[in-house]
Amino acid sequence: MRVRPWVAWRDRLDPQVFRCLHLFGLSREGLELARIARVRGVKLAVSPICWYEPRSLWKLSPHPLAGFQAVTAWVWRRSGAARLTRSCWRTELLNLADIVLPNSQLEAEQLRLVFGVDSQRLVPVPNGIEPRRFTKADPELFRRQVGWESYVLYAGRIEPRKNPLGLIRALSRCEAKRLPLVILGSVVPGHENYADQVARAIDQRGTERTRWLRGITHDDPLLASAMAAARVVALPSWFETPGLAALEAAAAGAAVVVTPYGSTREIFGDWVRYARPEDREGLAREVTAAWLEGAPVGLAEWVTSRYAWSETARLTREAYDRITA
């Protein structure tokens, strides 16, 4: 089976050319493609990358009324009652799919409860990483760039859901003040005001202990080097499914502090520390403890043996074969 990216302005969903279309994420544009695929007899796989977290719905809403409405809607959808009265475009997209590939069993269960996806079409396929890129990364490359031997690292987008501002403010407390902190990430368009708050928080904490580097892409060797040189990687998001950064950090040999919200506990179990994004004192305490203790012995081997891209590819190929046989 040959696989290649879909090019919207060039490709047609011809069943003589394409046996299967794989959509990543839930979008209205994807729904239109899904409808065309169904009409033309092309099989459809969907990786939703979807999580509803009531705490984040409340916290990230622009005002309390919007937060109350968002949480109420989530409870209504989760109860299943919404499916009895009306559908939504996400429900339609998921139910057009021949197979749905969530990142975890917990995500699969939420898709079943919230959108009514048949459990027979749900096949969890976890995120995967390129092991050698992180286990063999040269930490000196980034150490020369930042001028520190080790540090706490945040690697991710600069936006409210990822909560880098909460991390900076948490590490401005008590003992955590002394820890060097590197923020690695670019601003998500539309969140420039949030980025301004991040910049002010860095100034308040002290630029001699806090650095913000922008513009490093996922393929840049500096990213793997930054993971390898970090003593702790902290990702106190409002939820993760989980993100690649936590898996990559663990493979690179860093201790990991991650949010408990989402499917992180299913993926990491007792190998990492958990800190709630709203609890700054707790976040500072967990990061400090991870700094003092370092990464658990065997963490890198454990992660790379379970979450390599080769295994993700194998499971995905099996899913394709299942619906195209």
Side-chain angles (χ1 to χ4, degrees), residues 174-251:
C174 305
E175 287 185 39
K177 283 183 178 180
R178 64 182 176 81
L179 300 179
L181 172 63
V182 174
I183 303 295
L184 197 62
S186 298
V187 181
V188 174
H191 292 292
E192 289 77 12
N193 289 339
Y194 183 82
D196 290 341
Q197 294 180 62
V198 168
R200 287 195 296 272
I202 289 173
D203 288 339
Q204 291 166 3
R205 186 175 192 267
T207 53
E208 74 281 0
R209 295 188 305 273
T210 318
R211 309 281 174 81
W212 181 5
L213 284 78
R214 315 185 193 200
I216 296 180
T217 64
H218 188 265
D219 294 331
D220 193 323
L222 272 177
L223 175 61
S225 179
M227 296 281 193
R231 184 164 178 83
V232 180
V233 174
L235 300 163
S237 311
W238 282 95
F239 62 87
E240 290 286 351
T241 59
L244 287 174
L247 293 168
E248 292 167 346

Side-chain angles (χ1 to χ4, degrees), residues 4-325:
R4 67 172 175 83
W6 165 266
V7 181
W9 56 87
R10 184 190 68 197
D11 294 327
R12 293 183 68 255
L13 276 176
D14 183 346
Q16 301 301 315
V17 178
F18 298 105
R19 296 168 61 196
C20 176
L21 173 68
H22 190 165
L23 299 177
F24 292 85
L26 300 180
S27 68
R28 289 187 178 274
E29 294 79 7
L31 174 59
E32 294 306 315
L33 277 173
R35 287 170 172 166
I36 295 170
R38 174 56 61 90
V39 169
R40 295 183 178 173
V42 175
K43 298 295 183 180
L44 179 66
V46 175
S47 293
I49 318 172
C50 175
W51 187 268
Y52 285 95
E53 179 59 52
R55 298 171 188 84
S56 69
L57 291 171
W58 178 268
K59 178 65 178 179
L60 301 179
S61 293
H63 52 77
L65 178 58
F68 175 78
Q69 292 172 332
V71 173
T72 301
W74 178 85
V75 172
W76 175 249
R77 286 193 297 266
R78 187 175 174 85
S79 71
R83 296 196 299 275
L84 300 177
T85 56
R86 62 187 178 89
S87 184
C88 70
W89 66 265
R90 291 181 181 87
T91 303
E92 182 183 355
L93 173 53
L94 287 165
N95 284 290
L96 282 170
D98 296 282
I99 200 162
V100 179
L101 309 177
N103 287 151
S104 66
Q105 189 60 52
L106 283 172
E107 185 185 349
E109 181 63 10
Q110 193 174 90
L111 293 169
R112 186 186 67 80
L113 288 172
V114 175
F115 297 108
V117 181
D118 182 357
S119 59
Q120 297 299 311
R121 292 186 295 115
L122 287 164
V123 178
V125 175
N127 278 330
I129 60 172
E130 303 168 64
R132 286 184 59 83
R133 183 179 170 212
F134 294 92
T135 59
K136 303 298 183 182
D138 178 12
E140 294 305 321
L141 184 65
F142 195 80
R143 284 171 178 157
R144 290 193 295 270
Q145 173 91 3
V146 77
W148 292 332
E149 185 69 16
S150 59
Y151 44 83
V152 178
L153 174 67
Y154 165 85
R157 300 186 302 275
I158 306 302
E159 56 151 326
R161 183 179 76 78
K162 290 296 209 177
N163 197 33
L165 180 59
L167 176 63
I168 297 166
R169 288 175 173 170
L171 298 192
S172 300
R173 296 166 174 254
C174 305
E175 287 185 39
K177 283 183 178 180
R178 64 182 176 81
L179 300 179
L181 172 63
V182 174
I183 303 295
L184 197 62
S186 298
V187 181
V188 174
H191 292 292
E192 289 77 12
N193 289 339
Y194 183 82
D196 290 341
Q197 294 180 62
V198 168
R200 287 195 296 272
I202 289 173
D203 288 339
Q204 291 166 3
R205 186 175 192 267
T207 53
E208 74 281 0
R209 295 188 305 273
T210 318
R211 309 281 174 81
W212 181 5
L213 284 78
R214 315 185 193 200
I216 296 180
T217 64
H218 188 265
D219 294 331
D220 193 323
L222 272 177
L223 175 61
S225 179
M227 296 281 193
R231 184 164 178 83
V232 180
V233 174
L235 300 163
S237 311
W238 282 95
F239 62 87
E240 290 286 351
T241 59
L244 287 174
L247 293 168
E248 292 167 346
V256 176
V257 179
V258 72
T259 179
Y261 302 148
S263 59
T264 51
R265 289 189 186 274
E266 178 183 331
I267 300 300
F268 288 109
D270 296 330
W271 285 96
V272 304
R273 288 182 171 273
Y274 298 93
R276 300 195 310 275
E278 74 274 21
D279 181 5
R280 290 180 186 164
E281 183 177 335
L283 176 54
R285 184 172 59 250
E286 293 299 331
V287 171
T288 302
W291 179 276
L292 293 173
E293 295 178 6
V297 175
L299 172 59
E301 293 79 4
W302 182 84
V303 165
T304 55
S305 68
R306 286 165 174 77
Y307 301 112
W309 271 121
S310 57
E311 178 64 8
T312 298
R314 182 186 68 81
L315 293 171
T316 304
R317 172 61 187 264
E318 288 180 357
Y320 295 161
D321 288 343
R322 175 174 161 180
I323 60 176
T324 59

